[in-house]
């Protein structure tokens, strides 16, 4: 029990940081216990070796900075993130553009399937039946505001014509 | 085909090509400029922001400012200059690419220390671990050091310190990488459990347990060398003389 306590003490921290009371406890115990004495010797050697190893340092060479910057240029790195993130960011506009195009096409397709398609069919049929009717001229006009007033347009569309009267019968 | 495409994305670096027009080449930028004079008063967070904006000179200043510290840190785990330089370069390359993840609220040094620790740890993990150290691995000077320096608290000479560092490297090389890191940080550099936890990203409990285990393994490795060598006999004689 006493031996375990000493060994636990050796593992609690570096030996050079033991308190005076703990040092005295270790010293008195290791005087009688050979196993703890060996453990203490080894722990002390470990503490000194780690300190000695830690004291060794290597300073950067004057060319280190240049070497790092050359490596960055050589590897074509970007500070924005990892290669995959960068690739995604670079390709993002392309993917976004394609997605927008798909959505637009889908919207146009669905709108063509709805009610307006019926009126378009009617208009097409009317144009086919009377290519020179007032309505056909109005619908084929590029700039309605300049050519006709709103009232004229409405009259032209809803005024029953002699030629087109057959449709309403 | 897929791997070819991936390697193109990873190696060709589209963003770099896109940025090249707006970004000055490094050699052009640094030519004739004095980094310390230009950026010496600029805070780390500001240098990071400038780098993200395409100013490589700002990152050069980060390297200049922090490389001594990164070298000191890497020196704890590698002894050859080329290995230390390799580790330090890896640290700065990672820092450059991950700069976007740095949040200015935290300390830049702390952020860089975390990168340095994980980089060194990964490099140690990939290196081959030495088998158990035996007496035959030690040269005469190292054996003498073990024999003569037990319980000796006096300051060591430069030569003795070098021998001790050689011996330490041999014994530490037999320990698992995590043990080496915590031992060098706590017992070597005097870092607290909290500091090691911040540097490694481990929990404080894990650091504490790892440190205890590492000390035990180091002690046991040295105990074997001491018990099997002539030091044990020397110790017995010393004990008899003291009595």
């Amino acid at each position: 029990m006493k031996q375990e306590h000493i060994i636990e003490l050796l593992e609690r921290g570096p030996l050079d940081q033991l308190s005076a009371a703990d040092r005295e406890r270790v010293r008195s115990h290791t005087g009688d216990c050979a196993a703890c004495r060996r453990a203490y010797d080894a722990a002390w050697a470990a503490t000194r070796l780690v300190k000695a190893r830690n004291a060794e340092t290597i300073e950067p060479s004057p060319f280190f900075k240049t070497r790092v910057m050359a490596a960055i240029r050589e590897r074509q790195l970007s500070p924005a993130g990892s290669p995959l993130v960068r690739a995604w960011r670079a390709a993002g506009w392309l993917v976004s553009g394609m997605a927008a195009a798909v959505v637009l096409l889908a919207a146009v397709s669905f709108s063509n399937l709805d009610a307006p398609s019926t009126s378009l069919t009617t208009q097409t049929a009317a144009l086919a039946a009377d290519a020179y009717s007032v309505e056909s001229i109005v619908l084929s006009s590029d700039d309605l505001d300049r050519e006709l007033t709103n009232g004229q347009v409405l009259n032209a569309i809803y005024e029953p014509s002699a030629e087109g009267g057959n449709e309403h019968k | 085909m897929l791997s070819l495409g991936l390697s193109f994305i990873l190696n060709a670096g589209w963003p770099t090509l896109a940025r090249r027009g707006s970004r000055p080449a490094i050699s052009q930028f640094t030519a004739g400029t004095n980094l310390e004079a230009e950026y010496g008063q600029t805070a780390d967070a500001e240098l990071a922001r400038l780098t993200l904006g395409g100013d490589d000179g700002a990152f050069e200043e980060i390297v200049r400012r922090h490389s001594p510290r990164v070298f000191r840190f890497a020196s704890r785990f590698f002894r050859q200059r080329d290995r230390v330089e390799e580790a330090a370069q890896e640290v700065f390359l990672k820092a450059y690419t991950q700069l976007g993840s740095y949040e200015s609220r935290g300390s830049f040094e702390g952020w860089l220390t975390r990168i340095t620790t994980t980089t060194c740890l990964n490099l140690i993990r990939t290196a081959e671990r030495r088998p158990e150290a035996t007496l035959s691995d030690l040269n005469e000077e190292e054996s003498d050091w073990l024999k003569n320096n037990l319980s000796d608290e006096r300051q060591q000479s430069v030569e003795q310190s070098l021998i001790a560092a050689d011996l330490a490297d041999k014994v530490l090389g037999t320990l698992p990488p995590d043990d080496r890191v915590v031992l060098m940080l706590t017992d070597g550099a005097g870092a607290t459990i909290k500091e090691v936890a911040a540097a490694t990203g481990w929990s404080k409990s894990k650091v504490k347990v790892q440190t205890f285990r590492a000390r035990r393994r180091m002690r046991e490795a040295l105990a074997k060398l001491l018990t099997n060598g002539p030091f044990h006999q020397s110790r017995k004689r010393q004990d008899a003389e003291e009595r």
Side-chain angles (χ1 to χ4, degrees), chain B residues 45-199:
Chain B
E46 178 63 10
L47 289 174
R49 198 189 61 75
L50 288 170
T51 306
L52 284 169
D55 184 348
D56 284 326
F59 190 74
E60 225 176 319
E61 170 62 11
I62 287 176
V63 177
R64 189 196 68 79
R65 199 177 285 182
H66 294 281
S67 55
R69 198 162 163 274
V70 171
F71 264 70
R72 267 199 301 279
F73 196 97
S75 300
R76 294 188 181 114
F77 308 108
F78 310 105
R79 292 193 86 196
Q80 297 80 14
R81 169 168 280 280
D82 57 340
R83 296 288 317 274
V84 173
E85 281 212 359
E86 182 195 342
Q89 179 174 306
E90 197 60 33
V91 166
F92 284 109
L93 292 186
K94 275 187 190 170
Y96 188 76
T97 53
Q98 295 173 14
L99 211 51
S101 71
Y102 165 65
E103 292 173 5
S104 306
R105 287 171 303 201
S107 131
F108 187 84
E109 274 192 8
W111 181 76
L112 197 62
T113 301
R114 178 83 174 266
I115 293 177
T116 310
T117 311
T118 50
T119 304
C120 288
L121 194 53
N122 288 337
L123 288 171
I124 296 169
R125 280 175 180 155
T126 53
E128 202 174 329
R129 195 174 137 195
R130 286 201 204 110
E132 186 184 65
T134 59
L135 279 173
S136 58
D137 295 327
L138 308 187
N139 58 35
E140 196 179 337
E141 288 171 327
E142 289 161 355
S143 296
D144 284 345
W145 187 94
L146 271 182
K147 191 165 66 179
N148 300 324
N149 286 274
L150 294 177
S151 305
D152 188 353
E153 295 184 30
R154 283 174 301 181
Q155 185 73 30
Q156 294 187 101
S157 66
V158 175
E159 194 187 349
Q160 287 291 301
S161 297
L162 282 173
I163 295 166
D166 286 341
L167 181 56
D169 209 48
K170 282 182 180 168
V171 181
L172 285 165
T174 67
L175 301 183
D178 291 3
D179 284 6
R180 290 174 66 181
V181 169
V182 290
L183 262 186
M184 289 308 295
L185 293 181
T186 53
D187 294 7
T192 62
I193 297 292
K194 190 180 170 185
E195 285 167 342
V196 178

Side-chain angles (χ1 to χ4, degrees), chain A residues 7 11-14 23 31 37-46 48-54 56-61 64-65 67-69 71-73 75-83 86-87 90-91, chain B residues 9-12 15-16 20 23 26-27 35 52 56 60 71 75-76 78-79 81 85 88-89 93 96-97 100 145 149-154 156 162 164-165 168-169 187-188 215-216 218-219 222 232 235 239 243:
Chain A
I7 287 175
E11 287 163 6
R12 199 184 293 171
R23 272 170 184 258
R37 179 66 185 245
R38 280 196 295 274
Y40 174 75
D41 285 347
W44 183 248
R48 299 202 78 181
L49 288 178
V50 170
K51 291 279 181 200
R53 179 66 189 81
N54 184 66
E56 277 197 335
T57 55
I58 294 174
E59 293 299 319
S61 71
F64 176 71
K65 183 169 46 94
R67 185 181 150 175
V68 170
M69 299 313 285
I72 287 171
R73 191 173 42 183
R75 297 194 201 179
Q76 295 184 322
L77 297 173
S78 160
S82 68
R86 285 185 287 122
Chain B
I9 290 169
L10 295 175
N11 299 322
T16 312
R20 200 165 271 168
R23 208 173 173 186
I26 290 165
S27 55
L35 282 174
L52 284 169
D56 284 326
E60 225 176 319
F71 264 70
S75 300
R76 294 188 181 114
F78 310 105
R79 292 193 86 196
R81 169 168 280 280
E85 281 212 359
Q89 179 174 306
L93 292 186
Y96 188 76
T97 53
W145 187 94
N149 286 274
L150 294 177
S151 305
D152 188 353
E153 295 184 30
R154 283 174 301 181
Q156 294 187 101
L162 282 173
D169 209 48
D187 294 7
R215 284 191 189 118
R216 178 178 296 175
M218 181 76 176
R219 180 174 55 75
L222 279 162
H232 192 49
R235 167 63 73 194
D239 287 349
R243 287 191 187 108

